[in-house]
């Protein structure tokens, strides 16, 4: 229109004012050209506009129609975050309902290293708001070394409400630092039964690989801890529970606005142990600050009612992630508090081996109950004198007396007559040299020597050869014989139950978190026979010898005035060779002194409990181990407690006639 008006004005002016000849034709010609050019430009502009609108419309159709569902889902994902909800871990209780492991919630101050420029500066600044001790820093550094930088790591746990409020007021200063509500594990009994209960720790890369292999990874989203040892590890699947989820609406900053839906987690199942925590406490106190182990088993059920390993540790140290100082103290201690001695401690059994040798002799026919030998106090073999524990010997000895007085000479001769392979054949059914099948991980099988074992054990041919002299030492529980306290307690339980073989177990029952119903914990399959085919007459002979030990034998002083019958056998196991010298505990370094053993069951006529007691470097079994067994039996059989809690009463020196010296 603008161009048209201009053209009209020029035409009017040309008519009003005469123009030179030829000019009017040019004016009209130029006006037509301009109009045509204008129309072309207008068409191009209109086409461009239409093309732009077409592209916009096509894009609109693509977004709103063709890809509507895809982009709606993406937008919904940005708006809604699906978060895992970690379940409560199941409780662990003793057989009487005492809580051994439980949960509580608390606030944790956590740092995500990848979001922080200067960690040291941030930690120092945080220390001005909340208390951060040196051990907190050490623990954080240890976790930092073990974790990835995008993991959220705790710098302080169990914050007070006041500390939470102080940090909330200063939160804007600390990018990558936040407060989280966490569930924490607590072990209210502290060191008591620590090796049984175990502890939880942060999930490591190795743990993640294991979870992946077992197909459990999906159920551990959001979880940061897992069972590491003991019941916490072996019953992890029962205790962990099922992870839930929450759909949470978030704003542009990623902060939760509201919860849209929730699938509740399922708490882990509660586990009731076979352990009597009061008996456990008494047995641990009886060992005191000595190194050793006590395992007490119900022969009729296989239930372990005491499982002591000393020294122990406080599992609460591991809940937040143990700091380097405490870890080094535990890990480098010469006393090895982290070692589960009943399960993994391997020791020569000494004279506690003799009752089983007697059974093997009767089964194999190498001895009869009334057959006697003359014990001069030594046994000569190959020009070497194998000494008896009593100088001058015990005179004429039959099988029952050999157990009561612990005659070494009797068993030197017996071993020589049987040979190592026949011994191994008849001792293996009692569980020596094989796993008992107890329901926690890490058990060692020990060593039941034989010619085949030695051939497998050593590489060089000269090492693989079995020598007859080695058989002599094996007959009294020395030589290559090496077993765990658990194995000896299990073998004692089998003997006490007349050959009934019950797999030892630490879990009594499991309570379903959903229904509240209990189910019995099934013992592990071991492939062993349920009952040993033992001749009752043979059993009677061996048991008569064992019953004589606390009456007139090496544990008579320890069981004086007990008020109930028991059967047992002391043992004193050499830690190093005497090389012909006379043993004198005062002249031997503490860590080289003999180990003290006692195996027993009570009451003698109807056994309710069988046990094995070990005191490392404790000397004579009658002095160190037998009094601890007396304390255990007093509580289980008679309901008595030690007169001085935490201390084993001094029983005194055993009868000189039956003194159990090192074999």
């Amino acid at each position: 229109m603008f161009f048209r008006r201009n053209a009209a004005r020029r035409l009017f002016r040309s008519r009003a004012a005469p123009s030179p000849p030829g000019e009017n034709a040019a004016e009209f010609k130029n006006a037509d050209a301009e109009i045509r050019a204008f129309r072309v430009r207008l068409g191009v502009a209109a086409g461009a506009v239409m093309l732009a609108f077409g592209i916009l419309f096509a894009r609109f159709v693509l977004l709103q129609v063709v890809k509507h569902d895809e982009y709606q889902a993406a937008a919904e994902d940005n708006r809604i975050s699906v978060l895992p909800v970690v379940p409560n871990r199941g409780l662990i209780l003793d057989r009487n309902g005492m809580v051994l492991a439980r949960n509580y919630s608390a606030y944790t101050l956590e740092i995500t290293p990848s979001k922080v420029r200067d960690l040291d500066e941030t930690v120092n600044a945080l220390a001005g708001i909340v208390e951060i001790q040196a051990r907190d820093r050490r623990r954080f550094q240890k976790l930092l070394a073990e974790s990835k930088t995008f993991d959220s790591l705790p710098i302080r746990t169990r914050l007070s409400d006041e500390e939470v409020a102080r940090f909330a007021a200063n939160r804007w200063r600390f990018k990558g630092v936040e407060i989280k509500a966490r569930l924490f594990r607590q072990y209210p009994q502290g060191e008591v039964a620590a090796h049984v209960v175990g502890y939880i720790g942060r999930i490591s890369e190795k743990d993640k690989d294991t979870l992946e292999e077992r197909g459990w990874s999906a159920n551990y989203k959001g979880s940061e801890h897992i069972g590491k040892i003991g019941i916490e590890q072996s019953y992890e699947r029962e205790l962990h529970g099922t992870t839930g989820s929450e759909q949470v609406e978030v704003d542009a900053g990623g902060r939760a606005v509201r919860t849209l839906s929730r699938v509740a987690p399922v708490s882990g199942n509660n586990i009731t142990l076979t352990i009597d925590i009061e008996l456990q406490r008494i047995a641990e106190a009886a060992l005191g600050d000595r190194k050793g182990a006590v395992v007490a088993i119900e022969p009729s059920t296989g239930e372990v009612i005491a499982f002591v390993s000393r020294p122990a540790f406080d599992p609460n140290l591991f809940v937040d992630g143990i700091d380097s100082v405490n870890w080094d103290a535990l890990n480098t201690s010469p006393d090895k508090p982290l070692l589960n001695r009943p399960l993994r401690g391997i020791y020569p059994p000494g004279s506690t081996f003799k009752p089983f040798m007697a059974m093997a002799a009767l089964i194999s026919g190498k001895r009869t109950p009334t057959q006697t030998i003359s014990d001069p106090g030594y046994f000569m073999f190959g020009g070497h004198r194998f000494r008896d524990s009593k100088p001058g010997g015990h005179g004429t000895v039959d099988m029952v007396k050999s157990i009561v007085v612990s005659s070494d000479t009797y068993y030197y001769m017996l071993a020589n007559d049987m040979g190592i392979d026949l011994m191994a054949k008849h001792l293996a059914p009692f569980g020596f040299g094989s796993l008992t099948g107890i329901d926690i991980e890490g058990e060692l099988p020990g060593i039941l020597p034989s010619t085949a074992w030695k051939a497998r054990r050593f590489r060089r041919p000269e090492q693989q050869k079995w020598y007859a002299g080695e058989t002599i030492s094996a007959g009294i529980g020395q030589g290559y014989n090496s077993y765990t306290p658990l194995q000896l307690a299990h073998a004692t339980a089998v003997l006490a139950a007349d050959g009934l073989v019950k797999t030892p177990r630490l879990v009594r029952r499991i309570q379903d978190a959903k229904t509240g119903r209990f189910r019995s914990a099934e013992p592990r399959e071991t492939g062993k026979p349920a009952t040993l085919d033992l001749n009752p007459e043979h059993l009677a002979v061996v048991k008569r010898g064992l019953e004589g030990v606390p009456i007139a034998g090496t544990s008579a002083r320890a069981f004086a005035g007990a008020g109930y019958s028991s059967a047992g056998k002391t043992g004193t196991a050499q830690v190093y060779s005497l090389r012909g010298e006379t043993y004198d505990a005062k002249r031997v370094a503490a860590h080289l002194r003999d180990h003290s053993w006692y195996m027993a069951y009570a009451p003698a006529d109807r056994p309710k409990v069988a046990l094995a007691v070990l005191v490392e470097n404790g000397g004579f079994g009658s002095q160190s181990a037998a009094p601890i067994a007396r304390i255990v039996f007093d509580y289980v059989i008679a309901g008595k407690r030690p007169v001085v809690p935490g201390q084993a009463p001094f029983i005194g020196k055993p009868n000189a006639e039956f003194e159990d010296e090192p074999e």
Side-chain angles (χ1 to χ4, degrees):
M1 291 296 293
F2 174 76
F3 290 110
R4 288 181 180 180
R5 285 196 296 271
N6 287 342
R9 290 191 187 100
R10 286 195 297 271
L11 180 61
F12 175 77
R13 286 196 298 272
S14 66
R15 289 179 179 177
S19 302
E23 280 191 13
N24 290 338
E27 283 288 340
F28 281 110
K29 186 176 181 180
N30 291 339
D32 291 339
E34 289 180 0
I35 291 172
R36 286 194 298 272
F38 165 75
R39 287 175 177 171
V40 171
R41 290 194 296 269
L42 183 64
V44 172
V49 171
M50 291 299 293
L51 179 61
F53 273 104
I55 293 173
L56 289 173
F57 181 76
R59 184 65 177 169
F60 176 81
V61 171
L62 178 67
L63 296 176
Q64 297 295 324
V65 179
V66 178
K67 293 190 174 183
H68 173 269
D69 293 341
E70 179 183 341
Y71 284 108
Q72 185 183 42
E76 196 70 10
D77 288 341
N78 289 333
R79 183 178 71 88
I80 298 174
S81 180
V82 179
L83 304 176
V85 181
V86 180
N88 282 334
R89 196 169 179 85
L91 305 180
I92 301 177
L93 308 100
D94 88 326
R95 67 191 295 125
N96 299 313
M98 289 287 291
V99 177
L100 308 182
R102 62 189 177 194
N103 311 301
Y104 69 96
S105 59
Y107 290 110
T108 301
L109 185 63
E110 303 196 7
I111 300 175
T112 304
S114 61
K115 297 180 180 180
V116 177
R117 288 185 179 180
D118 190 326
L119 273 176
D120 291 336
E121 182 180 339
T122 299
V123 172
N124 290 334
L126 286 170
I129 299 172
V130 300
E131 183 182 8
I132 298 178
Q133 298 180 1
R135 62 185 179 88
D136 297 319
R137 293 173 185 262
R138 291 194 299 267
R139 184 184 63 240
F140 180 78
Q141 290 299 325
K142 185 174 185 291
L143 292 175
L144 184 62
E146 297 172 350
S147 306
K148 297 179 179 179
T149 58
F150 53 78
D151 289 339
S152 176
L153 304 175
I155 184 66
R156 252 297 307 278
T157 58
R158 291 170 286 199
L159 297 174
S160 66
D161 292 340
E162 182 182 348
E163 288 175 319
V164 171
R166 284 204 303 269
F167 175 77
N170 291 272
R171 183 177 181 180
W172 59 274
R173 296 169 48 196
F174 300 99
K175 183 180 179 181
V177 183
E178 57 185 331
I179 285 181
K180 293 184 179 181
R182 299 283 190 186
L183 282 174
F184 289 90
R185 198 68 160 167
Q186 184 186 42
Y187 302 99
Q189 307 302 326
E191 290 190 1
V192 179
H195 291 90
V196 177
V197 177
Y199 58 83
I200 63 170
R202 292 182 71 87
I203 296 176
S204 65
E205 289 300 318
K206 183 179 179 181
D207 293 326
K208 290 177 182 178
D209 293 340
T210 302
L211 292 173
E212 191 70 34
E213 290 173 5
R214 296 178 179 178
W216 296 358
S217 295
N219 195 37
Y220 278 78
K221 289 182 178 179
S223 297
E224 295 184 347
H225 295 84
I226 195 170
K228 294 293 185 178
I229 65 169
I231 296 298
E232 291 278 30
Q233 177 194 35
S234 300
Y235 284 82
E236 170 64 29
R237 196 166 191 183
E238 296 284 355
L239 290 164
H240 178 71
T242 304
T243 300
S245 63
E246 277 186 342
Q247 282 191 335
V248 180
E249 185 176 1
V250 296
D251 60 17
R255 291 182 291 271
V257 176
R258 61 184 176 126
T259 300
L260 301 177
S261 64
R262 190 173 194 269
V263 177
V266 178
S267 298
N269 297 331
N270 296 334
I271 290 181
T272 300
L273 303 186
T274 59
I275 295 293
D276 181 335
I277 200 63
E278 196 58 33
L279 172 61
Q280 180 85 12
R281 195 187 312 278
I282 289 171
E284 291 190 15
L287 262 172
D289 58 1
R290 295 172 292 182
K291 296 177 290 184
V294 179
V295 180
I297 301 175
E298 288 184 350
S300 60
T301 64
E303 292 188 355
V304 180
I305 59 176
F307 192 91
V308 174
S309 181
R310 299 291 296 175
F313 59 91
D314 185 356
N316 292 294
L317 291 172
F318 293 87
V319 173
D320 300 338
I322 189 168
D323 66 88
S324 58
V325 171
N326 281 315
W327 172 249
D328 289 341
L330 291 174
N331 203 37
T332 61
S333 170
D335 292 336
K336 299 181 179 180
L338 295 176
L339 174 64
N340 189 327
R341 284 171 164 80
L343 198 70
R344 299 182 60 79
I346 303 295
Y347 310 88
S351 291
T352 59
F353 200 58
K354 292 173 180 176
F356 303 99
M357 278 291 294
M359 281 297 304
L362 293 170
I363 295 170
S364 64
K366 291 295 182 178
R367 290 289 186 275
T368 64
T370 57
Q371 186 176 350
T372 62
I373 61 106
S374 176
D375 177 5
Y378 61 88
F379 175 67
M380 294 297 300
F381 181 83
H384 178 75
R385 175 175 293 201
F386 290 85
R387 296 186 303 107
D388 198 290
S389 59
K390 182 183 179 183
H394 299 279
T396 302
V397 179
D398 62 8
M399 183 168 284
V400 171
K401 184 178 179 180
S402 75
I403 297 172
V404 176
V405 301
S406 196
S407 169
D408 289 341
T409 303
Y410 184 94
Y411 291 96
Y412 290 147
M413 293 181 178
L414 175 58
N416 186 51
D417 290 345
M418 291 186 69
I420 193 64
D421 287 332
L422 188 60
M423 289 165 53
K425 175 185 176 181
H426 292 294
L427 290 166
F430 288 95
F432 293 110
S434 63
L435 301 176
T436 65
I438 195 169
D439 50 348
I440 54 174
E441 304 299 326
E443 181 184 6
L444 294 181
I447 298 172
L448 176 61
S450 66
T451 55
W453 167 83
K454 195 175 184 186
R456 293 192 305 269
R457 172 64 178 80
F458 297 101
R459 292 183 179 180
R460 297 200 300 269
E462 62 272 21
Q463 293 177 311
Q464 295 174 344
K465 182 180 178 181
W466 186 270
Y467 296 95
E470 295 174 323
T471 303
I472 309 303
S473 296
I476 60 168
Q478 292 289 164
Y480 290 114
N481 280 302
S482 298
Y483 310 108
T484 66
L486 173 62
Q487 281 179 307
L488 183 57
H490 172 57
T492 304
V494 172
L495 192 63
D498 297 338
L500 179 67
V501 181
K502 288 291 184 179
T503 303
R505 57 193 176 102
L506 288 163
V507 173
R508 197 177 201 189
R509 60 182 185 175
I510 301 170
Q511 184 182 27
D512 189 278
K514 287 184 177 179
T515 64
R517 295 178 180 175
F518 290 93
R519 71 177 189 273
S520 297
E522 296 297 326
R524 293 180 177 179
E525 291 292 333
T526 62
K528 297 178 181 179
T531 306
L532 302 185
D533 186 17
L534 302 179
N535 187 322
E537 293 181 1
H538 296 167
L539 280 167
V541 172
V542 174
K543 286 189 171 185
R544 192 159 65 249
L546 290 171
E547 290 167 20
V549 172
I551 295 174
T554 50
S555 64
R557 296 261 182 168
F559 283 87
Y564 52 83
S565 62
S566 68
K569 181 71 189 78
T570 56
T572 307
Q574 284 183 0
V575 175
Y576 83 113
S577 175
L578 293 173
R579 301 184 184 276
E581 297 180 5
T582 302
Y583 177 81
D584 184 354
K586 295 179 181 179
R587 296 171 56 189
V588 177
H591 69 284
L592 295 177
R593 292 172 187 165
D594 296 338
H595 297 321
S596 176
W597 280 103
Y598 194 66
M599 56 80 77
Y601 57 86
D605 53 345
R606 299 185 66 181
K608 185 177 179 180
V609 58
L611 58 70
V613 178
L614 166 75
V615 181
E616 286 188 21
N617 312 119
F620 298 149
S622 54
Q623 287 181 302
S624 298
I628 295 173
R630 167 70 185 272
I631 291 172
V632 171
F633 286 164
D634 278 355
Y635 177 79
V636 176
I637 307 300
K640 297 178 182 178
R641 297 172 184 270
V643 176
V644 181
Q647 294 183 11
F650 178 73
I651 303 300
K653 191 175 180 179
N655 294 328
E657 182 182 358
F658 305 122
E659 193 169 71
D660 191 4
E661 294 187 357
E663 294 86 359

